[in-house]
Amino acid sequence: MANLNPSRARSRGQILLIAAFSLAVIFVALALVVNSAIFTENLASRGEVGGSSDALVYQDEITDSVGETIEFANLYNTSDLATSVDDSVSTIGARGGVQQATGGQLVHVEYLGEDFGHRIADNASGGSAFLNESSPTATPDWRVAETVDRTRNVRITLTDTSPLAGTAGTAFTLEANESTSTIWEMRVWDDGSNVVVDVETAGGRTAQCRVPDTTPIDIDVTRGQVNGEPCHALTWTGPDGDQMWWDTGLSPLNDYDIWIKNGDRIEGNYSMIVDGTPDTQNLSSGFASGDDPYETPAIYSARIDYVYMTGEVEYDSEIVVAPGEPA
Amino acid sequence: MRDRGVSTTLSYVLTLTIATLLVGGLIMAGSSFVEDRREQVIRQELRVVGEHLASNVEQVDRYGRAADTVQTASVAQNFPNDVTGSSYTVELKRGSPPQLFLNSSRPRVRITVNISTTSSICSDNTASGGPIVAEWDTGSSCLEIQNAQ
């Protein structure tokens, strides 16, 4: 038979050709979608931006280190506290900076300044009653400091529980006294088998915690701990948000006085750092190892400039370091 | 015998028509499959970007509350400029809780991510895809996002 359509031989399969091109485009688009899906899985598996939580972790470490430096200077330095803390902070910053730099982080720590206060303590060897400087007669009720704005690191160590009162009425009392009607107080007494730490806030809320009456007993009033464990009476937050911490209920705008009452109903040692004026009629000046309480200049708090930077993170803050300040 | 020329042409046309219909159907099914998958992947990618950005905003919130005075606090991250070929924007909106809205342009996909922060959001602001930085506004003590320079 004759070939009736000779010209069509060269144009056969055009539809199949178009279909093949269209399918090829579809496959390329599908490859793009699959690629995006793989990238999404990769993005989802990544953790936080590198170094973002380390900024705060290292800030806490710096705060702790500088806090210990302040405490050391307050205990052992007799002159130029600020310079000694400044030098220590420079050392902390230099060494920490090198260590952080090896991990790709830029850290800068700088001492900005300090607020001075006073350290008040009674370090009698073996403990003593909490009486004022015995000149001419020691009294059990006496004012420790006046016009106090802030207090930190109030620590009491009981070395003998036999002088403790048997009831709250005659118990040793530590007071933060803003006025006759606005007083935060902590009483310590022995109910026969336990030492009771009894707190009453200026708002009238009360709470107690108990520990076995085995000495030594450490009461960290401003940190809210007894023998290293949290004390309910010093840390509890009520359902209305009212707290039991030191000086709760006192106005932050007003100063207060610190009093010891029934100081003859306790035996041990104590220390505190106050941002206020020690009552020099009841305290001697300068370190003393006898049973008379004394006051020395101390740094209440220090301000530190802290900078933490990586390629993605930038954090620059001013930290106030006041170890043992109530929450 | 005289109808043979008609049957050849008819057969040819029928073959072409059926082939065209089959191929057309295959292409339509293929492209709608790709479109469908693309929208799914865009949705998933926007959610992942949103979760990362929300985590950065929450981290900056923690920075803002971690010290007595904060001069600067920011976390930047390089997000993709587009999601599966579609550009997108990120809106940070105030509210309770504050929310991130991620919108892609073609196809129109909208994802919402809740953020949990203690500090407030400065104001409703928008950033486009790419490097985005979550920042702390020192003056107003609030959070915001913007494109990194």
Side-chain angles (χ1 to χ4, degrees):
Chain A
M1 293 291 294
N3 186 359
L4 296 174
N5 298 305
S7 63
R8 288 202 187 165
R10 286 193 293 273
S11 55
R12 272 190 180 166
Q14 283 170 333
I15 288 179
L16 285 176
L17 196 62
I18 291 166
F21 276 131
S22 304
L23 281 173
V25 169
I26 288 171
F27 283 135
V28 168
L30 198 59
L32 176 71
V33 169
V34 168
N35 194 44
S36 295
I38 294 169
F39 175 74
T40 302
E41 290 296 314
N42 177 276
L43 189 61
S45 67
R46 294 183 201 170
E48 59 169 22
V49 170
S52 58
S53 56
D54 290 342
L56 297 184
V57 169
Y58 195 61
Q59 179 178 271
D60 284 345
E61 289 178 22
I62 294 290
T63 304
D64 287 345
S65 300
V66 174
E68 292 194 14
T69 300
I70 292 172
E71 294 303 276
F72 190 90
N74 286 341
L75 267 178
Y76 298 109
N77 272 54
T78 54
S79 63
D80 213 350
L81 293 165
T83 304
S84 107
V85 175
D86 188 354
D87 290 344
S88 298
V89 168
S90 298
T91 306
I92 291 169
R95 294 198 178 159
V98 168
Q99 190 181 25
Q100 292 290 321
T102 59
Q105 295 96 28
L106 171 70
V107 175
H108 175 74
V109 177
E110 188 181 337
Y111 183 78
L112 294 177
E114 68 289 315
D115 286 336
F116 280 106
H118 295 267
R119 181 169 178 270
I120 296 169
D122 182 339
N123 296 130
S125 171
S128 67
F130 293 1
L131 306 177
N132 64 341
E133 184 191 17
S134 52
S135 172
T137 309
T139 55
D141 296 355
W142 55 284
R143 185 173 62 186
V144 179
E146 57 182 332
T147 60
V148 175
D149 192 24
R150 300 173 289 172
T151 313
R152 66 174 180 85
N153 232 5
V154 179
R155 304 178 75 161
I156 296 172
T157 302
L158 299 177
T159 53
D160 186 356
T161 57
S162 50
L164 292 176
T167 58
T170 53
F172 160 79
T173 305
L174 180 67
E175 274 184 13
N177 186 323
E178 183 184 313
S179 67
T180 49
S181 56
T182 311
I183 299 175
W184 182 99
E185 54 187 6
M186 179 189 79
R187 288 176 283 267
V188 181
W189 47 285
D190 191 334
D191 68 0
S193 52
N194 292 302
V195 167
V196 181
V197 175
D198 184 326
V199 174
E200 182 173 351
T201 67
R205 187 189 291 280
T206 60
Q208 293 180 345
C209 65
R210 286 172 161 74
V211 289
D213 59 0
T214 310
T215 56
I217 296 172
D218 286 312
I219 305 172
D220 194 329
V221 181
T222 43
R223 272 202 179 91
Q225 294 175 347
V226 176
N227 287 341
E229 299 292 329
C231 170
H232 175 82
L234 291 166
T235 59
W236 183 61
T237 300
D240 54 359
D242 194 17
Q243 295 182 329
M244 301 297 295
W245 295 92
W246 167 269
D247 83 9
T248 297
L250 274 57
S251 167
L253 301 174
N254 294 340
D255 299 330
Y256 54 87
D257 295 345
I258 297 176
W259 282 80
I260 282 179
K261 303 271 175 76
N262 299 323
D264 56 339
R265 301 311 301 263
I266 193 168
E267 184 159 323
N269 300 121
Y270 63 88
S271 67
M272 65 183 78
I273 312 280
V274 301
D275 181 8
T277 308
D279 190 333
T280 49
Q281 288 187 329
N282 292 317
L283 301 163
S284 59
S285 273
F287 288 103
S289 56
D291 63 0
D292 287 343
Y294 65 90
E295 60 87 13
T296 57
I299 290 180
Y300 184 87
S301 64
R303 293 187 306 284
I304 307 292
D305 182 38
Y306 170 75
V307 177
Y308 183 99
M309 288 175 70
T310 68
E312 292 88 21
V313 174
E314 192 175 339
Y315 181 59
D316 182 356
S317 67
E318 184 178 303
I319 318 164
V320 174
V321 181
E325 202 164 38
Chain B
M1 289 296 286
R2 63 177 177 274
D3 291 333
R4 209 170 71 180
V6 172
S7 110
T8 304
T9 307
L10 189 60
S11 157
Y12 183 71
V13 168
L14 278 175
T15 306
L16 281 182
T17 307
I18 291 165
T20 305
L21 285 174
L22 286 173
V23 164
L26 183 65
I27 291 172
M28 275 176 55
S31 26
S32 80
F33 173 78
V34 169
E35 250 336 283
D36 192 47
R37 285 291 166 265
R38 184 169 176 243
E39 187 177 319
Q40 271 189 8
V41 170
I42 286 174
R43 198 172 289 279
Q44 201 177 343
E45 195 165 352
L46 284 179
R47 180 162 296 284
V48 169
V49 168
E51 296 286 352
H52 274 271
L53 187 55
S55 148
N56 292 347
V57 171
E58 288 169 5
Q59 182 66 270
V60 175
D61 176 48
R62 282 189 285 274
Y63 286 165
R65 293 181 286 115
D68 303 275
T69 310
V70 176
Q71 269 96 31
T72 312
S74 67
V75 175
Q77 189 168 356
N78 275 334
F79 294 109
N81 291 318
D82 56 58
V83 285
T84 322
S86 167
S87 62
Y88 66 100
T89 59
V90 183
E91 292 172 63
L92 179 61
K93 278 203 150 57
R94 309 174 73 165
S96 179
Q99 289 177 312
L100 273 174
F101 293 101
L102 295 100
N103 308 292
S104 84
S105 51
R106 278 196 310 270
R108 286 197 172 282
V109 175
R110 186 177 172 91
I111 295 291
T112 308
V113 178
N114 287 346
I115 306 176
S116 171
T117 60
T118 305
S119 315
S120 60
I121 308 298
C122 298
S123 60
D124 297 350
N125 55 5
T126 305
S128 54
I132 298 177
V133 57
E135 274 185 324
W136 174 260
D137 184 329
T138 310
S140 317
S141 297
C142 56
L143 299 156
E144 59 185 9
I145 60 168
Q146 57 180 303
N147 285 112
Q149 266 75 50

